[in-house]
Amino acid sequence: MTSINPDYHAGRHFLQIPGPTAVPERIQRAMDRQVIDHRGPEFGALGREVLAAVKTVFQTTQPVIIYPSSGTGAWEAALVNTLSAGDRVLMVETGHFASLWQKMAVKLGLAPEFIAGDWRHGVDASAIEAHLAQDKAHSIKAVCVVHNETSTGTTSDIAAVRKAIDAVKHPALLMVDTISSLGSVHYRHDEWGVDVTVGGSQKGLMLPPGLSFNAVSQKAIAASRSAKLPSAFWGWDEMLEANKTGYFPYTPATTLLYGLREAIDMLHEEGLANVFARHERHAEATRRAVRAWGLEILCANPAEYSPVVTAVMMPSGVDADAVRDIILKHFNMSLGMGLSKVKGKVFRIGHLGDFNDLSLLGTLAGVEMGLGLAKVPHQAGGVAAAMTYLRDCAAQQSASTGATRIAA
Ligand SMILES: *Cc1c(COP(=O)(O)O)cnc(C)c1O
């Protein structure tokens, strides 16, 4: 006689939260090594290689600092290295993560000014321009924005923010959080004139949690020489000095650096442009599924739809967390929960990292079955709509490459 063991799940877990994302086996194997002496010659070679290679992901020729921390640490590093107590900073309320960064600025003794948002839109560059235009004395020292607001599935136009700052000839530093977009969404640190780009390892970079990044401009480094907020662990000066020879001022996350080297190799093997196009394709397929279900996408501006995460609104009276629970229990898939303001109102489908058409279709099938089991009012056919779109994309690809033309 057999009975079902509800705690046992065959097959792999679907980790479809918008980070941490599933770590590919290639990266797991790259990290499965003995830990080496972080002051020895073997480490120096690894350090030099990784510190140079990581710049390509930020599209920069300037230094990228790597911390053994979660992304939150790199947020703090960006602020404490460049600013002084009481400095005005301009931030934009795109959602939960922008709000957390703003709260951190308050805790550090800065004076953030927060442009209010409805959690359904990205950064309005014209509002930044108008705000900075009022600051004739240039007492605002930094503009801090989130590139991909992971809590709402909204991506902001960073080049437009740069233009807005330049339009009023304001000298404020531009700091951008790319924790959930780096390695998945088109991003250019140098070309867009970003002074500090904040990144993390566990989302688009396909690594476990534990590494974070500050890509820094010469202007940011100059600001760090006169900044007065205390910084010790996060200090750029000692990092930049030690990094010159491939080393770190304290013990780096050696194992994760092997993984980072492999992740960068994978991104370039596929080609960054192809990686970004793949994320765009999966996001479009996901939105077609959501629309076929008759449900609403939280991001209200199609030009700002996130390539990496889609937040799906539940009809009023439906608890999004109950739907997520059912999907986890029956199909062993984790979806992102609604955070703070949108808790229980949305769930989020992460479609980033090491991900392909069939992993997306499995994900969407789990959601569609979950909507049915949870008795959420919806129409069937979301998975079918996504399949049609992905099939058409594949057909287009065959036509353009001349490959696999089977039938006339
Ligand atoms: C995940 C995330 C963070 C927080 O990073 P941690 O690694 O959890 O500290 C900050 N900002 C954005 C946009 C994120 O997606």
Side-chain angles (χ1 to χ4, degrees):
M1 217 194 108
T2 57
S3 63
I4 288 167
N5 174 1
D7 296 326
Y8 182 81
H9 292 287
R12 80 168 177 87
H13 176 69
F14 269 62
L15 183 64
Q16 296 319 132
I17 60 175
T21 62
V23 178
E25 277 170 45
R26 229 177 108 172
I27 292 181
Q28 287 180 4
R29 281 197 297 273
M31 293 188 303
D32 185 10
R33 300 172 64 129
Q34 295 208 327
V35 176
I36 57 172
D37 172 8
H38 62 287
R39 311 224 189 262
E42 193 183 344
F43 184 87
L46 172 70
R48 287 190 294 278
E49 189 184 345
V50 171
L51 286 162
V54 75
K55 295 181 187 193
T56 60
V57 183
F58 290 85
Q59 314 257 19
T60 185
T61 57
Q62 305 180 79
V64 176
I65 288 163
I66 306 177
Y67 293 107
S69 85
S70 90
T72 302
W75 263 351
E76 181 163 339
L79 300 177
V80 298
N81 276 287
T82 55
L83 300 166
S84 302
D87 276 354
R88 293 171 73 196
V89 293
L90 184 58
M91 302 176 116
V92 183
E93 186 199 0
T94 45
H96 177 70
F97 289 102
S99 301
L100 287 180
W101 203 9
Q102 185 265 350
K103 284 190 186 108
M104 174 186 275
V106 172
K107 285 181 198 164
L108 292 171
L110 298 166
E113 282 154 44
F114 211 26
I115 297 177
D118 65 357
W119 291 43
R120 300 196 68 178
H121 292 83
V123 173
D124 175 2
S126 65
I128 291 183
E129 185 174 330
H131 203 98
L132 292 178
Q134 305 286 312
D135 178 34
K136 303 277 187 238
H138 294 167
S139 63
I140 293 175
K141 297 302 177 199
V143 174
C144 303
V145 293
V146 174
H147 182 218
N148 184 73
E149 179 52 77
T150 325
S151 62
T152 65
T154 306
T155 306
S156 290
D157 183 347
I158 302 304
V161 175
R162 175 77 267 166
K163 272 203 200 112
I165 298 171
D166 291 348
V168 291
K169 298 193 169 55
H170 199 288
L173 296 167
L174 173 57
M175 308 208 206
V176 182
D177 168 349
T178 66
I179 294 172
S180 63
S181 51
L182 192 73
S184 316
V185 185
H186 179 68
Y187 184 80
R188 295 178 173 277
H189 176 84
D190 285 358
E191 190 183 313
W192 296 346
V194 180
D195 292 299
V196 187
T197 297
V198 174
S201 57
Q202 76 273 27
K203 299 180 186 183
L205 289 183
M206 308 173 283
L207 293 162
L211 290 182
S212 70
F213 309 92
N214 274 179
V216 296
S217 72
Q218 292 308 312
K219 185 174 161 188
I221 292 171
S224 75
R225 300 213 173 91
S226 54
K228 294 199 178 57
L229 282 182
S231 68
F233 182 81
W234 304 116
W236 287 348
D237 46 357
E238 287 175 31
M239 268 288 196
L240 291 172
E241 190 53 38
N243 284 176
K244 279 181 191 162
T245 50
Y247 294 94
F248 288 70
Y250 41 74
T251 314
T254 315
T255 308
L256 288 170
L257 294 178
Y258 286 122
L260 177 60
R261 179 168 71 181
E262 191 70 18
I264 297 167
D265 280 352
M266 288 173 71
L267 290 172
H268 291 306
E269 266 177 49
E270 184 175 356
L272 281 181
N274 297 327
V275 172
F276 302 151
R278 171 167 58 82
H279 283 82
E280 294 280 4
R281 182 173 82 244
H282 290 155
E284 176 60 29
T286 302
R287 292 189 295 267
R288 287 181 185 221
V290 175
R291 288 193 200 105
W293 291 325
L295 298 173
E296 200 177 339
I297 295 163
L298 181 61
C299 176
N301 176 6
E304 295 174 322
Y305 282 147
S306 169
V308 301
V309 55
T310 300
V312 183
M313 294 170 75
M314 288 291 91
S316 63
V318 175
D319 177 8
D321 289 335
V323 181
R324 284 190 323 109
D325 287 347
I326 283 175
I327 292 171
L328 177 61
K329 180 169 153 237
H330 288 283
F331 307 116
N332 193 23
M333 175 163 73
S334 298
L335 294 170
M337 65 189 304
L339 296 166
S340 53
K341 255 191 203 178
V342 290
K343 180 167 170 47
K345 299 196 171 98
V346 304
F347 62 77
R348 294 171 299 146
I349 304 171
H351 32 79
L352 73 162
D354 185 47
F355 202 59
N356 62 29
D357 289 3
L358 298 189
S359 30
L360 178 65
L361 290 172
T363 299
L364 296 174
V367 174
E368 189 162 327
M369 290 190 288
L371 293 170
L373 286 170
K375 300 195 168 39
V376 179
H378 74 289
Q379 286 110 51
V383 176
M387 272 173 69
T388 302
Y389 176 71
L390 293 174
R391 183 202 62 200
D392 291 350
C393 289
Q396 235 170 38
Q397 195 191 6
S398 307
S400 69
T401 58
T404 59
R405 204 167 292 148
I406 296 159

